[in-house]
Structure formats: structure tokens, C-alpha cells
Amino acid sequence: MPASHDLKGLMKFLARDEWRGCFEQVFDNHFGPVLEAGDMEFDDLAEILSDDWAMTLWGCAFEDFLTQEFDVDGGNIVDEYLKRRGWKEGAQTKVYMKALRTSVMSLYEVSDIVPGKSLTARDLIRGGEPIAVSEGTATQTLKQWDRIAARIVPVLGKNIFAGGLLPYTPQATDALFDGLRQMFGKKGTKKLPALADQDLQSVASMFTLSWLFDTLDRAMALPPMQNSDGDDLMFHDIRFPLATGVTQKDIAAQVNAIPGMAQENVKFWNWLEDKPKGREKAKHADALSFDATMDNGLRVLGNVELKGRFLHLSTNSAARAEKGTALIRQALGDIVGTPLTEIRTIEQMMAERPPRERGEAASNVPPEIAEQVVHQFMDRQYRETLDQPVGMLGNKTPRQTVKSAAGRQKVAEWLKYLENQSANQPNPADPMATYNFAWMWKELGVHDLRR
């Protein structure tokens, strides 16, 4: 007896000459632009992304194919299959096939996730009331406010997902919405147009392409990573050996005299910039910028630490390493020897990170204490953020933005983004993943939009 959602019969029917040619047209719509741009075959996607993702992508094209009418006998493969072979299928399978026949791919925001059971999906394109979906597999990995491209189909009184489900990043969402605006929107407006089901059915391949271009960009290479001076991240560890007879106390006294050195304890200093200044524009428009900042707004250019018979200078770029080395040699003179330098790229640093999945301890701090400390830090940081300009809000503060109806919607989207990014930690017990953002929604008066 076939499973209730078994489409093997339909897939075998696809081998018939008239349907094989029709499917090749749909397949090319979904993958042709990506394969041509990357000068590759579909099988290459499995090597880059995995066999599972390649099958999911094929499923997206196949489900789109099931909804279309073609200029061949029968017109639609589902109608023709059920007419000729429907007697072989169980009642649930036939209901599922008919539901796929009229299904629509759209973009949904998920919430109220009950792992292994259900979730609520809000259509970000067509609007309307959120939909309750019975779902066992995806709910094990999806997080609050994740966005997914999917087909929701009714089967025997329940809404379920079809097989082609794609998780969307903010970047993929922007690409999809830009494409929909260009296709259906009015010139000169940034508002997403109201789309009917037939509109979305006609551009189902756009969901696959937006996801693929975004995913391949991230899979093929890391984005440029820089510090806030615009220097490429290159981690330098410069070790100055202490001269014979020189003590750590002698070194500490000299380091304290170096401009910009802020002592944390007897053996550790933060090397700070002279005064707060605006971050310089990154050399690469798509670069990620990294730097630590003190409570007073001063950027940390590096760290200096005494370890045994060495003074270590650690910093994240060649320019800072050169400047820091010159400062130390000028201040300490011959009480330290010629330094040794170790340089590592961001890829090497990531490769050296201890794998948590092996059960290795990431910290000696008890988990409940670590969670409390992290949550207190996040409380302080986010409370300050409410009165600071935010790029996603047009460089207005959240408190300013909520004063208009449109601004309230923007703030809700911003809070969902923060909440979603926090929840998407590899370890669900990570303090970042367990942080509760509810107070921010209430503080800004937009709790009614948290749905």
C-alpha cells in the first residue's frame, strides 16, 4: 500500500515522452540561469550544497510542474495521471495530488513552533490571517520568525507543507521581493504589489532562483571580512621575549605608560584608539565589519598580555600589528627582544575552533551563570540601542520610529530580525538563543504586532 503522500507513480508517469519535454522546460526555468552563470551542471549542485538540497530543489521544480497546463494531450500531468492511473492510488494520495495541482509557492514567516507537531505561518506576499500548519520534520529545526518558501496544501482537514521547502535569509528575501516588484509593481514604488494566486504560480521559479543565488554565494566563499578601519581581517600574535633579568612587573610599568593602553588586570591591557570616531567606509561594499568597543565608545585596536617570559600583542590586521609593534618597541626598548609573529586568516581561526559536538567544554563557567551574565549584558546593550540610530530603521532610533504607523511596522520587522538571529545559534542552550526579547516589544509599544 503506498504512503499517503507517495508521488512515485506520478514520477514514473513523467518518463512518458510528452511529459518529459514539458518538465525540461520547467526545469530550465528553475535552474537554467544559475547553471549558466556558474558554468555547471545540476549534479554539481549536489556536490556544493549536498544531495538532500539537490533533491529538495528538484522537488520545487517538480511541484511547480504539477500545477501547469501544457499544449499536449491531457494538458496537466496530475489530471491525466489520475484519469489513467488513479485507481492504483489510495484516497489520501489522490487528495494530496489534487492539492498540489492547485498549490501556490509563497514566502512565509513562521512562529508559535511546537517541535514535532505544528507551527503558524504568515504569508508575507499575499497577506491574510496566519495559517496553522501540521508539521513534524521542519519544526525540529525552524526558529521563531524564520522565513521559508513553501507550498501549504490542505489534506483531509489539515494544512501541511509540500516537499519543496526552502529557508530564506534576509538577503534572499530582498532579492525575491525586488524581483516581484520588477515583475508586477508600479514604476517608482518600493511597495510590494498585491499578487493573486495565478501571479505567483507564473513565477514559481523565482523562489528557487532567489534562494539558489543567495545560498551559492554563501557556500562558495566567505564574504570579505574587515575591521572598522577597512583593513582585511588577518589575526596577528606578536610575542616579545623578555630580556634576561627583566620581570613582569618591570614590563607592566612600561606598558602602562604607552598611550591608549587601558589596564584590565596586572597582566592584561586593552589597546584603545585615541578618541571615538565614526567607522570608516569598508573597502568592499558587501564586507562584514568586526571590532570590539568599550562602554565609553572607544574601539579596541588590540590586546596586550603577559604570559610567562613573553609579552603578547594580539590584533586583527597587518596595519594595526605594525603600529602596535612600533609602540611597544619604542616604549620598552631593549628590555624585550626581537618579536616573533604568527599570522592566521579567518578561515584558519574558524578551523581551529574546538568542535562542540564532540562534547568538549567551551567554558569553565557554569551554564546558569554564563546565561545570567550574557542576558544582563544583552539587556544593557539593547536598552541603549533603543535610543541609538539603527540602519534598518533609516538611521532613526527605535523610539523615534514607532511614532508613526509605518514606523511601527518597521520596528516590528527589526525586532523579529534580532529575535530570529539570536535564536539561530548552533546550540539551542546557548545564552544568545535563550534570550527573551519580549520586554523590547512592550517597551516600544508594538507587542500587538508580534505575530
Side-chain angles (χ1 to χ4, degrees), residues 49-63:
L49 302 177
S50 79
D51 290 334
D52 288 342
W53 279 121
M55 287 301 298
T56 298
L57 292 165
W58 188 92
C60 289
F62 181 65
E63 289 168 358

Side-chain angles (χ1 to χ4, degrees), residues 192-217:
L192 193 66
L195 300 178
D197 287 358
Q198 58 266 32
D199 294 328
L200 285 179
Q201 284 178 330
S202 70
V203 293
S205 60
M206 192 177 292
F207 290 86
T208 308
L209 290 169
S210 299
W211 186 88
L212 255 179
F213 276 116
D214 173 65
T215 303
L216 287 173
D217 280 347

